[in-house]
Amino acid sequence: MLVSALLLALGATSVLGGPFIRSTYAVKGSHPVPKGWRALDRAPQDHKMELRIGLTQGDFKGLEKHLFEASNPKHNKYGNHLTADDVYKFIKPSHEASNAVHEWLYEHGVLPEDLEYTPAKDWIKINLPVSAVEDLLDTQYHTYVSEDGRTAVRTPQWSVPRHLHEHVSTIQPTSSFFGPRAQARMEERKLEVFMDTEDVAEYLPPPPDAATVAEVCNTTWVTLTCLRTLYGTIDYTPQSADKNTVAMNDFLGEVNIRSDTKLYLQNFRPEALGAENDYQIISIDGGTTDQTLNETQLEDGTGIEGNLDDQTLIGISWPTALEIYSTGGSPPFIPDITTTSNTNEPYLTWLEYVLSLPDPLPSVISTSYGDDEQTVPKDYAVQVCNALAQLGARGVSVLFASGDSGVGGSGECYTNDGRNASTFLPNFPTSSPYITSVGGTYKFNPEVPVFCNRSTGLYTAGGGVDALKSYFAATGVTDEFAGLFNPNGRAYPDISGQSLNFTIFWNGTLRPVSGTSASTPAVSGILALVNDALVAAGKPTLGFLNPWLYGGGYKAFNDVTTGSNFGCDTEGIPAVEGYDIATGWGTPNFKEILALRGVHVASPDGWGSWNRS
Ligand SMILES: *[C@@H]1O[C@H](CO)[C@@H](O)[C@H](O)[C@H]1NC(C)=O
Ligand SMILES: *[C@@H]1O[C@H](CO)[C@@H](O)[C@H](O)[C@H]1NC(C)=O
Ligand SMILES: *[C@@H]1O[C@H](CO)[C@@H](O)[C@H](O)[C@H]1NC(C)=O
Ligand SMILES: *[C@@H]1O[C@H](CO)[C@@H](O)[C@H](O)[C@H]1NC(C)=O
Ligand SMILES: *[C@@H]1O[C@H](CO)[C@@H](O)[C@H](O)[C@H]1NC(C)=O
Ligand SMILES: *[C@@H]1O[C@H](CO)[C@@H](O)[C@H](O)[C@H]1NC(C)=O
């Protein structure tokens, strides 16, 4: 979104009117280059970068306080979700911060008319050649390449004048190598047990009216009917489809193939047939909306993640409207230094887009991507977490996959800070305190944590659980966390869902796909239906879940109490009664959640009518 004339005028006045404040440069941001990335060459000086300058937000603490109050059923502000304008008022930077940054840019030859702003003006975006950015930040950029072929133009350290340190929260792209990766695909592609469509009939469930979990669920093929029966949504008829939207993210060139969605619906949800044409795929920063896959994409399994996410979401939450954000950036590496890579930071690009949308936002957003937290500088992480808090404050339940063991895998768990010390490797942004992190289970009656290489218990080492419990035991905000991303204070996942051997269609055939990539859209679809019922009952939507969840909402979740996960060369974390970092509070029980939120079934013999209490 572009700047208003007012701010331009303000900026220009102060720039031309006052004397420049000068102070010496000092390092503001510094972060080690993550494991698996290496520098190639100096970045070409004329390579264009889209620089994003994050300004210190005026009153993030105020926003955070509101978020926790509005998400706490015991508070009188409960359900009082903010509008976009309310949020902008909280986070708008001070005039002092804004003026100081504008003066600095002007002094370096950056003209006011070249600047773009987010609606709250907490981010400034400028297109500049590498040479100009190097001058501005007193640094040198290199082209880096990762082991898995991603490229980035980055610098591990950057500086700004000392007097700007309090006004600038982060500048990117600099030291963040974060590029969200899909959580489920790699190993699944190696399974090579893909079925032809002709075999589907074997996995079709018996008619739902008589079905029990034992009759419809089998770990070899977890069908939509199994999920809907297990979590109790199968006999619910949505009532607010025109007032409620669920959304999901695609990154990394992931796609959603409508002809595959059609096959899925035909086979598993025939009454929803046609919905394959109804969902919106919104392209952000060149994000793909492709409907056909070329040979390379088929080989890479492109679309397995995207298809898993949209099929699971539609399958469960239909006819709730689905919106898909497809964000570009991070193309495959072309090993030619003159063919420079896209330097955009796809994650910030997506956040900027979604936070600029008018109200109402989707009531649930499902994201099955994340990256090794070690690749994320703290200044950047804080800004991303704060942006996620804005989504929560506007009433969105933001769900992230807790991650698979790819980054907490055996033999990989060492720090990248030069010490090479043993550590568990947390995943970002699922480690953010303002979102709900979804882990994985498998088996039925009882469900247990998904095992070994599908382990989901990636968490921060040392005392995380205690800090978390005391944090949420207190109502409202504790100063300890206000505005800060504290990796020692956050255990995850918060909740879980089935995550093994989901049956989805890809390239026209039925495939088993696993991971927290599967549990996240499944749980998101269920929560979208909860919102559907809440809207119909005239009640506020769920919004940010955790204060409610940790304050008693967990009673509506099926506690997972046996089994353990693995990873990082340990025996893993056992599931126990109550909260545990293998499965969080457990898996959702749709009817129990509604009952806890005061929406009850009217007649004892069915779901035909609803109390609107
Ligand atoms: C689960 O499905 C597989 C494959 O169709 C079958 O061999 C197995 O017997 C089923 N298990 C149960 C408990 O029904
Ligand atoms: C999951 O599916 C794979 C591939 O079909 C199969 O080999 C495996 O046994 C299944 N896992 C379980 C626990 O049923
Ligand atoms: C396949 O499609 C991708 C994404 O559009 C593109 O980057 C790639 O070059 C294509 N590959 C071939 C062999 O056409
Ligand atoms: C995709 O489908 C086409 C057409 O059925 C088939 O020839 C091809 O082998 C499939 N590729 C993969 C990777 O499944
Ligand atoms: C870190 O320590 C492990 C275990 O001793 C070793 O295998 C690995 O090579 C070390 N990595 C680095 C970068 O030194
Ligand atoms: C995880 O996968 C690795 C390699 O694929 C394997 O060596 C290891 O045994 C697996 N872990 C468990 C607990 O099965």
Side-chain angles (χ1 to χ4, degrees), residues 98-137:
S98 177
N99 289 346
V101 170
H102 282 93
E103 283 178 2
W104 166 65
L105 291 172
Y106 189 78
E107 197 181 5
H108 283 264
V110 181
L111 298 176
E113 57 264 37
D114 294 334
L115 309 181
E116 284 180 53
Y117 301 84
T118 51
K121 312 219 161 55
D122 59 330
W123 287 93
I124 297 176
K125 194 165 79 179
I126 335 162
N127 273 299
L128 289 174
V130 164
S131 56
V133 178
E134 290 187 342
D135 174 51
L136 207 53
L137 303 182

Side-chain angles (χ1 to χ4, degrees), residues 25 45 47-52 104 108 110 126-141 155 158-159 171-174:
Y25 268 70
Q45 292 294 296
H47 173 64
K48 279 277 199 171
M49 296 182 72
E50 196 166 76
L51 198 69
R52 283 179 161 75
W104 166 65
H108 283 264
V110 181
I126 335 162
N127 273 299
L128 289 174
V130 164
S131 56
V133 178
E134 290 187 342
D135 174 51
L136 207 53
L137 303 182
D138 191 22
T139 188
Q140 288 186 352
Y141 277 84
T155 173
W158 54 280
S159 303
I171 299 181
Q172 296 298 337
T174 49

Side-chain angles (χ1 to χ4, degrees), residues 457-475:
L458 300 172
Y459 55 93
T460 49
V465 183
D466 284 337
L468 183 77
K469 278 186 172 159
S470 51
Y471 178 38
F472 285 111
T475 52

Side-chain angles (χ1 to χ4, degrees), residues 202-203 217-221:
E202 197 187 325
Y203 304 99
C217 289
N218 180 323
T219 52
T220 319
W221 295 94

Side-chain angles (χ1 to χ4, degrees), residues 239-382:
Q239 311 158 77
S240 319
D242 54 336
K243 302 188 197 85
N244 183 32
T245 303
V246 62
M248 56 165 271
N249 273 312
D250 285 332
F251 292 106
L252 299 166
E254 270 302 317
V255 294
N256 310 90
I257 306 291
R258 294 183 197 272
S259 57
D260 285 331
T261 316
K262 181 177 178 183
L263 279 172
Y264 181 84
L265 295 175
Q266 243 163 14
N267 284 287
F268 300 124
R269 195 90 207 254
E271 71 273 28
L273 200 58
E276 73 274 9
N277 297 316
D278 293 343
Y279 59 82
Q280 251 191 301
I281 308 175
I282 298 159
S283 168
I284 302 166
D285 197 25
T288 174
T289 58
D290 283 355
Q291 288 300 310
T292 54
L293 297 172
N294 65 30
E295 225 155 275
T296 323
Q297 289 168 312
L298 284 174
E299 234 163 71
D300 291 348
T302 302
I304 291 181
E305 176 71 63
N307 279 8
L308 168 67
D309 296 350
D310 82 66
Q311 290 172 24
T312 305
L313 269 174
I314 292 186
I316 292 174
S317 66
W318 179 82
T320 307
L322 170 66
E323 263 175 25
I324 299 175
Y325 308 120
S326 172
T327 305
S330 301
F333 180 56
I334 303 154
D336 169 2
I337 195 68
T338 58
T339 318
T340 44
S341 55
N342 184 340
T343 54
N344 276 359
E345 222 290 346
Y347 203 69
L348 286 179
T349 307
W350 168 67
L351 278 171
E352 182 184 303
Y353 172 83
V354 73
L355 288 170
S356 303
L357 290 176
D359 298 306
L361 294 177
S363 73
V364 181
I365 301 179
S366 174
T367 306
S368 292
Y369 301 75
D371 206 347
D372 183 353
E373 192 184 87
Q374 289 195 115
T375 63
V376 185
K378 185 169 173 185
D379 56 323
Y380 167 92
V382 168

Side-chain angles (χ1 to χ4, degrees), residues 485-607:
F485 173 65
N486 182 351
N488 295 317
R490 164 72 161 131
Y492 65 85
D494 300 299
I495 52 178
S496 295
Q498 284 285 317
S499 60
L500 193 78
N501 287 344
F502 277 33
T503 46
I504 64 136
F505 278 85
W506 179 75
N507 192 34
T509 52
L510 193 63
R511 321 276 167 148
V513 181
S514 304
T516 50
S517 272
S519 51
T520 305
V523 173
S524 296
I526 293 160
L527 296 180
L529 290 182
V530 170
N531 284 330
D532 178 278
L534 290 172
V535 169
K539 289 169 176 281
T541 51
L542 290 164
F544 176 42
L545 289 168
N546 296 11
W548 165 73
L549 181 68
Y550 286 75
Y554 62 83
K555 289 175 201 145
F557 285 71
N558 310 308
D559 195 4
V560 177
T561 58
T562 56
S564 73
N565 59 14
F566 294 81
C568 289
D569 296 317
T570 75
E571 284 305 302
I573 306 303
V576 296
E577 230 169 83
Y579 182 86
D580 56 71
I581 42 187
T583 58
W585 291 108
T587 62
N589 182 327
F590 178 67
K591 288 164 193 171
E592 292 289 327
I593 296 175
L594 286 184
L596 260 195
R597 302 296 283 229
V599 182
H600 298 284
V601 191
S603 65
D605 59 339
W607 284 80

Side-chain angles (χ1 to χ4, degrees), residues 76-98:
N76 60 14
K77 284 197 189 142
Y78 177 68
N80 188 357
H81 304 314
L82 297 181
T83 65
D85 282 340
D86 294 337
V87 168
Y88 301 157
K89 279 177 205 143
F90 276 117
I91 62 173
K92 189 163 63 80
S94 68
H95 284 300
E96 191 194 355
S98 177

